[in-house]
Structure formats: structure tokens, C-alpha cells
Coordinates of all heavy atoms in Angstrom, one line a residue:
D1059 N 103.5 -38.1 263.3 CA 102.2 -38.7 263.3 C 101.8 -38.9 261.8 O 101.2 -39.9 261.4 CB 101.1 -38.0 264.1 CG 101.4 -38.0 265.5 OD1 102.1 -39.0 266.0 OD2 100.9 -37.1 266.3
V1060 N 102.0 -37.8 261.0 CA 101.6 -37.8 259.6 C 102.4 -38.9 258.8 O 101.8 -39.6 258.1 CB 101.8 -36.4 259.0 CG1 101.6 -36.5 257.5 CG2 100.7 -35.4 259.6
I1061 N 103.7 -38.9 259.1 CA 104.5 -39.9 258.4 C 104.1 -41.3 258.8 O 104.0 -42.2 257.9 CB 106.0 -39.7 258.7 CG1 106.5 -38.4 258.1 CG2 106.9 -40.8 258.3 CD1 107.8 -37.9 258.6
D1062 N 103.8 -41.6 260.0 CA 103.3 -42.9 260.5 C 102.0 -43.3 259.8 O 101.9 -44.4 259.4 CB 103.2 -42.9 262.0 CG 104.5 -42.9 262.7 OD1 105.5 -43.2 262.1 OD2 104.5 -42.6 263.9
V1063 N 101.1 -42.3 259.7 CA 99.8 -42.6 259.1 C 100.0 -43.0 257.6 O 99.4 -43.9 257.1 CB 98.8 -41.4 259.2 CG1 97.7 -41.5 258.2 CG2 98.3 -41.3 260.6
I1064 N 100.8 -42.2 256.9 CA 101.0 -42.4 255.5 C 101.7 -43.8 255.3 O 101.3 -44.6 254.4 CB 101.8 -41.3 254.8 CG1 101.0 -40.0 254.8 CG2 102.2 -41.6 253.4 CD1 101.8 -38.7 254.4
K1065 N 102.7 -44.0 256.1 CA 103.4 -45.3 255.9 C 102.5 -46.5 256.2 O 102.5 -47.5 255.4 CB 104.6 -45.4 256.9 CG 105.8 -44.6 256.5 CD 107.0 -44.7 257.3 CE 106.9 -45.3 258.7 NZ 108.2 -45.2 259.4
K1066 N 101.6 -46.4 257.2 CA 100.7 -47.5 257.6 C 99.6 -47.6 256.5 O 99.3 -48.8 256.1 CB 100.1 -47.2 258.9 CG 99.2 -48.2 259.5 CD 98.8 -47.9 260.9 CE 97.3 -48.0 261.0 NZ 96.7 -47.4 262.2
K1067 N 99.0 -46.6 256.1 CA 97.8 -46.7 255.2 C 98.1 -46.8 253.8 O 97.3 -47.4 253.0 CB 96.9 -45.4 255.4 CG 96.2 -45.4 256.8 CD 95.4 -46.6 257.0 CE 94.7 -46.7 258.3 NZ 93.8 -47.8 258.5
A1068 N 99.3 -46.4 253.3 CA 99.7 -46.5 251.9 C 100.4 -47.8 251.6 O 100.7 -48.2 250.5 CB 100.5 -45.3 251.5
H1069 N 100.8 -48.6 252.7 CA 101.6 -49.8 252.5 C 100.8 -50.9 252.0 O 99.7 -51.2 252.4 CB 102.1 -50.2 253.9 CG 103.0 -51.4 253.9 ND1 102.5 -52.6 254.2 CD2 104.3 -51.6 253.6 CE1 103.4 -53.5 254.1 NE2 104.5 -52.9 253.7
T1070 N 101.3 -51.6 250.9 CA 100.8 -52.8 250.4 C 101.8 -54.0 250.5 O 101.4 -55.1 250.4 CB 100.3 -52.7 248.9 OG1 101.5 -52.5 248.1 CG2 99.4 -51.6 248.7
G1071 N 103.0 -53.6 250.6 CA 104.1 -54.6 250.7 C 104.6 -55.0 249.3 O 105.5 -55.8 249.2
R1072 N 104.1 -54.4 248.3 CA 104.5 -54.6 246.9 C 105.3 -53.5 246.4 O 105.2 -52.3 246.9 CB 103.3 -54.9 246.0 CG 102.6 -56.2 246.4 CD 101.5 -56.5 245.4 NE 100.5 -55.4 245.2 CZ 99.3 -55.4 245.8 NH1 99.0 -56.3 246.6 NH2 98.5 -54.4 245.6
I1073 N 106.1 -53.7 245.4 CA 106.9 -52.7 244.8 C 106.0 -51.6 244.3 O 104.9 -51.8 243.8 CB 107.9 -53.3 243.7 CG1 108.9 -52.3 243.3 CG2 107.1 -53.7 242.5 CD1 110.1 -52.9 242.5
G1074 N 106.5 -50.3 244.4 CA 105.7 -49.2 243.9 C 104.8 -48.6 245.0 O 103.9 -47.8 244.6
D1075 N 104.9 -48.9 246.2 CA 104.1 -48.3 247.3 C 104.3 -46.8 247.4 O 103.4 -46.1 247.8 CB 104.4 -48.9 248.7 CG 103.6 -50.2 248.9 OD1 102.7 -50.5 248.1 OD2 103.9 -50.9 249.9
G1076 N 105.5 -46.3 247.0 CA 105.6 -44.8 247.0 C 106.8 -44.3 247.9 O 107.6 -45.1 248.4
K1077 N 106.8 -43.0 248.0 CA 107.8 -42.4 248.8 C 107.2 -41.2 249.6 O 106.2 -40.7 249.2 CB 108.9 -41.8 247.9 CG 109.7 -42.8 247.1 CD 111.1 -42.9 247.5 CE 112.0 -43.9 246.9 NZ 111.7 -44.6 245.8
I1078 N 107.9 -40.8 250.6 CA 107.5 -39.6 251.4 C 108.7 -38.7 251.4 O 109.8 -39.1 251.7 CB 107.1 -40.0 252.8 CG1 105.9 -41.0 252.8 CG2 106.8 -38.7 253.6 CD1 105.6 -41.6 254.2
F1079 N 108.5 -37.4 251.1 CA 109.5 -36.4 251.2 C 109.1 -35.3 252.2 O 108.0 -34.9 252.2 CB 109.7 -35.7 249.8 CG 109.9 -36.7 248.7 CD1 108.9 -37.2 247.9 CD2 111.2 -37.2 248.4 CE1 109.1 -38.1 246.9 CE2 111.4 -38.1 247.4 CZ 110.3 -38.5 246.6
I1080 N 110.1 -34.9 253.0 CA 109.9 -33.9 254.1 C 110.8 -32.8 253.9 O 112.0 -33.0 253.7 CB 110.0 -34.5 255.5 CG1 109.1 -35.7 255.7 CG2 109.8 -33.4 256.5 CD1 109.7 -37.0 255.6
S1081 N 110.3 -31.5 253.8 CA 111.2 -30.4 253.7 C 110.7 -29.3 254.6 O 109.5 -29.3 255.1 CB 111.2 -29.9 252.3 OG 109.9 -29.7 251.8
S1082 N 111.6 -28.4 255.0 CA 111.2 -27.3 255.9 C 110.5 -26.2 255.1 O 110.8 -25.9 253.9 CB 112.5 -26.7 256.5 OG 113.1 -27.6 257.3
V1083 N 109.6 -25.5 255.8 CA 108.8 -24.4 255.3 C 109.1 -23.2 256.1 O 108.9 -23.2 257.3 CB 107.3 -24.7 255.3 CG1 106.5 -23.5 254.8 CG2 107.0 -25.9 254.4
E1084 N 109.6 -22.1 255.5 CA 110.0 -20.9 256.2 C 108.7 -20.1 256.6 O 108.7 -19.6 257.7 CB 110.9 -20.1 255.4 CG 112.3 -20.7 255.2 CD 113.2 -19.8 254.5 OE1 113.1 -18.6 254.6 OE2 114.1 -20.3 253.8
E1085 N 107.8 -20.0 255.8 CA 106.6 -19.1 256.1 C 105.4 -19.6 255.3 O 105.5 -20.1 254.2 CB 106.9 -17.7 255.7 CG 105.9 -16.7 256.1 CD 105.7 -16.6 257.6 OE1 106.4 -15.9 258.3 OE2 104.8 -17.3 258.1
V1086 N 104.2 -19.4 255.8 CA 103.0 -19.6 255.1 C 102.1 -18.3 255.3 O 102.1 -17.7 256.3 CB 102.2 -20.8 255.8 CG1 100.9 -21.0 255.1 CG2 103.0 -22.1 255.7
V1087 N 101.5 -17.9 254.2 CA 100.6 -16.8 254.2 C 99.3 -17.1 253.6 O 99.2 -17.7 252.5 CB 101.2 -15.6 253.4 CG1 100.3 -14.4 253.4 CG2 102.6 -15.2 253.9
R1088 N 98.2 -16.9 254.4 CA 96.8 -17.1 253.9 C 96.5 -15.8 253.1 O 96.5 -14.7 253.6 CB 95.9 -17.3 255.0 CG 94.5 -17.6 254.5 CD 93.5 -17.7 255.7 NE 94.0 -18.6 256.7 CZ 93.6 -19.9 256.9 NH1 92.7 -20.4 256.1 NH2 94.1 -20.6 257.8
I1089 N 96.2 -16.0 251.8 CA 95.9 -14.9 250.9 C 94.7 -14.1 251.3 O 94.7 -12.9 251.3 CB 95.8 -15.4 249.4 CG1 97.1 -16.0 249.0 CG2 95.3 -14.3 248.5 CD1 97.1 -16.7 247.6
R1090 N 93.6 -14.8 251.7 CA 92.4 -14.1 252.0 C 92.5 -13.2 253.2 O 92.0 -12.0 253.1 CB 91.3 -15.2 252.3 CG 89.9 -14.6 252.6 CD 88.8 -15.6 252.8 NE 89.2 -16.6 253.8 CZ 89.0 -16.5 255.1 NH1 88.3 -15.4 255.6 NH2 89.3 -17.4 256.0
T1091 N 93.1 -13.6 254.2 CA 93.2 -12.8 255.5 C 94.5 -12.2 255.8 O 94.6 -11.3 256.6 CB 92.8 -13.7 256.7 OG1 93.8 -14.7 256.8 CG2 91.4 -14.3 256.5
G1092 N 95.6 -12.6 255.1 CA 96.9 -12.1 255.4 C 97.5 -12.8 256.6 O 98.6 -12.4 257.0
E1093 N 96.9 -13.8 257.2 CA 97.5 -14.5 258.4 C 98.7 -15.1 257.9 O 98.9 -15.6 256.8 CB 96.5 -15.5 258.9 CG 95.2 -14.9 259.5 CD 94.2 -16.0 259.9 OE1 93.7 -16.6 258.9 OE2 94.0 -16.3 261.0
T1094 N 99.7 -15.3 258.9 CA 100.9 -15.9 258.6 C 101.2 -17.0 259.6 O 100.6 -17.1 260.7 CB 102.1 -14.9 258.6 OG1 102.2 -14.3 259.9 CG2 101.9 -13.8 257.5
G1095 N 102.2 -17.8 259.3 CA 102.7 -18.8 260.2 C 101.7 -19.9 260.5 O 100.9 -20.3 259.6
K1096 N 101.7 -20.4 261.7 CA 100.8 -21.5 262.2 C 99.3 -21.1 261.9 O 98.5 -22.0 261.6 CB 101.0 -21.8 263.6 CG 100.3 -23.0 264.2 CD 100.7 -23.2 265.6 CE 99.9 -24.4 266.2 NZ 100.2 -24.6 267.6

């Protein structure tokens, strides 16, 4: 859904519209609370 939104809303049809890069994330930690993951 995120990729579709970016492709749709950032598109102008002219050169230089940009790129999207996707990579895996192993872990996320919220510094304030120590929560992890989702």
C-alpha cells in the first residue's frame, strides 16, 4: 500500500520523479519506553 501511494502521488511522468528502496528491518526499539518490534 505504501509503495502504491508513493508511486501514485510522486509521479509526474517526467524524468527525475525518483526512486523507492525497500529493505528488511530486523528490530525496532523505542528509546523512551523500551518497546520493541511492531
Side-chain angles (χ1 to χ4, degrees):
D1059 292 338
V1060 168
I1061 292 168
D1062 290 342
V1063 162
I1064 296 170
K1065 284 186 342 188
K1066 182 174 128 193
K1067 292 299 179 178
H1069 180 263
T1070 67
R1072 295 187 302 261
I1073 194 165
D1075 274 352
K1077 297 248 177 13
I1078 301 171
F1079 306 95
I1080 301 104
S1081 53
S1082 294
V1083 173
E1084 291 184 32
E1085 186 63 86
V1086 176
V1087 179
R1088 184 184 310 261
I1089 295 171
R1090 180 177 56 88
T1091 61
E1093 293 171 293
T1094 60
K1096 186 177 177 181

